[in-house]
Amino acid sequence: MVQRFRPSYESDSEDDDLGAVLQNQSREESDDDDMSSLSFGALSSAQKKLQQEERTAREEESSSGSESEDGFFGDGKKKKGKTSQKKKKKNKHAPSESSSKKPVSRIREIPGLKQKKDTTLYTDIRFDSAYGKADWDRIRKDYAFLDEYRQKEIEQMRGILNNKKERSKLSDHEIEDLEFKIQSLQSRLDTLKNRDLSNKILKDHKREQMAKMRKGEQVNPYFLKKSEQRKMIQKAKFESLKSSQREKVMERKRKRRLGKEFRAMEFR
């Protein structure tokens, strides 16, 4: 077989070497020219910057080394501290912690058990939970005579205020006290009357429904909604009022409607 060799050109490689040498010489000459053009102050400031950078690099290396040593040798201490800081889980049957500022009472309070401070000399068995729930209708019926006493008290106090001689003997504070008592007693009587009226209306409706069921007119009783109950009670109250009171009620309603209309007109 005939061996073939790739031709090499020495002239090309020599030219490349010469070009590289010439470029390096030109760079060195340009650097020398630049350095010669710089002032002495600029050179000193550049030297200081280099020194500061070297110092910071050394400090960073030393700090990183110390942290690595602490992490290697101080893991055990940190772990111990963490375990000591962790609180143990309390048992649900453990006693409750009380404040050390308050003195502990000698008598332990038991929930549901009456204490001496709660008990009084006289106890009313009518409102004792041991005898069951109180029947308010029965209580209202038994103590209905108290309304007469309240009405008499109101009339007596009004008579004192209307009498000029007796009123002149009273001070301003006593007059205000009498007026307040009259107002409170009257409001209590009104609330009791309204409650009695509403209970009576509901009982009458229930009685009617039961009578219709007995006759066979209805299969199931009709239970009134709260809105229907309210309407029936308002109607009965309005019918029970006097003519002068009805006029006042109608005047109030008229004023309310006008106020609503004016408020609606303001935003238009």
Side-chain angles (χ1 to χ4, degrees):
M1 291 179 69
V2 180
Q3 293 182 354
R4 293 181 180 180
F5 297 98
R6 187 176 180 181
S8 61
Y9 301 97
E10 293 179 356
S11 61
D12 293 338
S13 61
E14 287 176 358
D15 292 336
D16 292 336
D17 294 336
L18 285 170
V21 170
L22 290 170
Q23 283 179 0
N24 290 329
Q25 286 179 358
S26 63
R27 283 176 186 172
E28 287 176 358
E29 287 176 359
S30 63
D31 292 336
D32 292 336
D33 293 335
D34 294 334
M35 293 293 286
S36 62
S37 64
L38 289 170
S39 63
F40 181 74
L43 289 170
S44 62
S45 63
Q47 191 174 3
K48 286 179 182 179
K49 285 181 181 178
L50 288 169
Q51 289 176 357
Q52 285 178 357
E53 288 176 358
E54 288 176 358
R55 285 176 188 171
T56 53
R58 287 173 188 170
E59 287 175 358
E60 287 176 358
E61 287 176 0
S62 62
S63 63
S64 63
S66 62
E67 285 176 0
S68 62
E69 288 176 359
D70 292 336
F72 181 74
F73 293 107
D75 287 340
K77 293 179 182 178
K78 286 182 180 178
K79 284 179 182 177
K80 286 179 182 177
K82 285 180 181 178
T83 53
S84 63
Q85 286 176 2
K86 282 182 181 179
K87 293 182 179 179
K88 292 181 180 179
K89 190 177 180 181
K90 289 183 179 180
N91 191 1
K92 63 179 181 179
H93 300 296
S96 59
E97 294 179 1
S98 58
S99 177
S100 60
K101 294 178 182 179
K102 293 181 181 179
V104 181
S105 62
R106 294 182 181 180
I107 300 165
R108 187 163 65 91
E109 292 183 0
I110 300 167
L113 187 67
K114 288 185 178 180
Q115 303 293 331
K116 283 186 178 180
K117 61 183 180 181
D118 297 333
T119 57
T120 55
L121 183 61
Y122 302 104
T123 55
D124 195 347
I125 60 170
R126 295 173 300 170
F127 305 104
D128 195 350
S129 59
Y131 295 95
K133 291 183 179 180
D135 189 0
W136 296 107
D137 294 333
R138 179 70 181 275
I139 291 164
R140 176 65 184 148
K141 193 182 288 183
D142 293 341
Y143 294 95
F145 63 91
L146 293 174
D147 294 344
E148 296 177 3
Y149 293 162
R150 292 188 184 109
Q151 192 65 40
K152 286 179 181 178
E153 285 179 7
I154 290 166
E155 289 174 0
Q156 285 176 2
M157 286 188 283
R158 279 178 180 168
I160 291 165
L161 291 173
N162 292 328
N163 194 349
K164 291 181 180 179
K165 288 182 180 179
E166 292 181 358
R167 184 163 184 163
S168 62
K169 295 176 184 178
L170 300 173
S171 62
D172 295 336
H173 180 70
E174 288 174 348
I175 291 165
E176 288 177 0
D177 193 13
L178 280 172
E179 288 175 353
F180 179 74
K181 284 179 180 178
I182 290 164
Q183 190 177 358
S184 64
L185 284 170
Q186 191 64 46
S187 64
R188 190 180 292 179
L189 281 171
D190 292 339
T191 52
L192 289 169
K193 284 178 182 178
N194 291 330
R195 196 181 294 167
D196 293 339
L197 183 64
S198 61
N199 290 331
K200 186 183 177 183
I201 290 162
L202 295 173
K203 282 180 181 178
D204 291 341
H205 176 75
K206 191 175 181 181
R207 201 178 291 114
E208 287 175 3
Q209 294 295 315
M210 294 299 289
K212 286 180 180 178
M213 282 178 65
R214 285 169 189 164
K215 290 177 182 178
E217 295 177 2
Q218 287 183 190
V219 179
N220 294 321
Y222 178 72
F223 297 100
L224 291 169
K225 296 177 183 178
K226 287 186 178 180
S227 60
E228 293 173 349
Q229 290 177 12
R230 204 180 300 116
K231 285 177 183 177
M232 286 179 71
I233 291 162
Q234 285 177 355
K235 187 179 178 182
K237 282 180 185 177
F238 187 75
E239 288 174 355
S240 64
L241 293 173
K242 296 177 183 178
S243 59
S244 59
Q245 291 175 343
R246 286 179 188 176
E247 288 176 1
K248 287 180 181 178
V249 171
M250 295 298 290
E251 188 67 22
R252 284 177 195 166
K253 285 185 178 180
R254 190 180 65 79
K255 285 180 180 178
R256 283 177 191 170
R257 285 174 187 170
L258 284 171
K260 286 180 182 178
E261 288 176 2
F262 283 128
R263 284 191 218 107
M265 291 290 287
E266 285 176 0
F267 295 102
R268 290 181 183 177

